[in-house]
Structures are given as C-alpha cells and as structure tokens.
Amino acid sequence: ATIEYCMDSKIEGAILVFLPGYDDISNLKEKVQEVHSRYYKPVVYTLHSQMNSQDQQQVFEEPKRGYRKVILSTN
C-alpha cells in the first residue's frame, strides 16, 4: 500500500525498500510490477549481496520519463 501511495504521487524520485531476504525481494518485485499508477510506471531494481556488481550498478541509471525507479534491497 505504501509503494502504491508513492507511485501515485506527482513528486519525482525513487522508492527504496529494505527487506530481510532475497525471497521477500522476489515476492514484492512481482507485486510492484503489477502496480497501476496515474503518473508513473514502475522500473524495479533488486539489490542483494549475491548479485554481481555490474548488475548492481544499474540501480544508478536514471529511469525514462514516465517511470519511477523502485529499488528492493536487503540491508
């Protein structure tokens, strides 16, 4: 619900969510990709210590206009 609320905001910016493990990240990723917003489409990135560093660097890319970056990460 919090992610949906942020997605419907006109304010620009990314959403960063910390989760306890990779299974939680995978489950939430599917749900976030289904969110329908009036203003933005989600671009979901995942961060986990087991990912290679090149994949992790994608988090720093700027999303296209009309998209909101959602980062799902372990702490």
Side-chain angles (χ1 to χ4, degrees):
T2 303
I3 293 173
E4 286 185 47
Y5 176 80
C6 293
M7 290 293 296
D8 266 344
S9 171
K10 288 184 180 181
I11 299 171
E12 293 183 14
I15 301 168
L16 174 60
V17 181
F18 290 106
L19 298 156
Y22 190 76
D23 289 339
D24 300 303
I25 290 172
S26 296
N27 292 334
L28 187 56
K29 180 179 180 179
E30 291 177 18
K31 292 176 183 176
V32 170
Q33 290 173 328
E34 295 172 1
V35 170
H36 298 285
S37 167
R38 293 176 283 185
Y39 306 109
Y40 297 101
K41 295 177 185 170
V43 176
V44 183
Y45 295 96
T46 58
L47 287 177
H48 188 270
S49 62
Q50 301 297 326
M51 294 175 62
N52 72 47
S53 59
Q54 186 174 0
D55 289 341
Q56 293 181 20
Q57 291 299 315
Q58 292 177 346
V59 170
F60 299 105
E61 295 176 4
E62 194 71 29
K64 294 179 185 176
R65 185 174 178 89
Y67 289 83
R68 184 181 301 271
K69 186 186 312 185
V70 180
I71 303 165
L72 307 176
S73 177
T74 55
N75 58 2

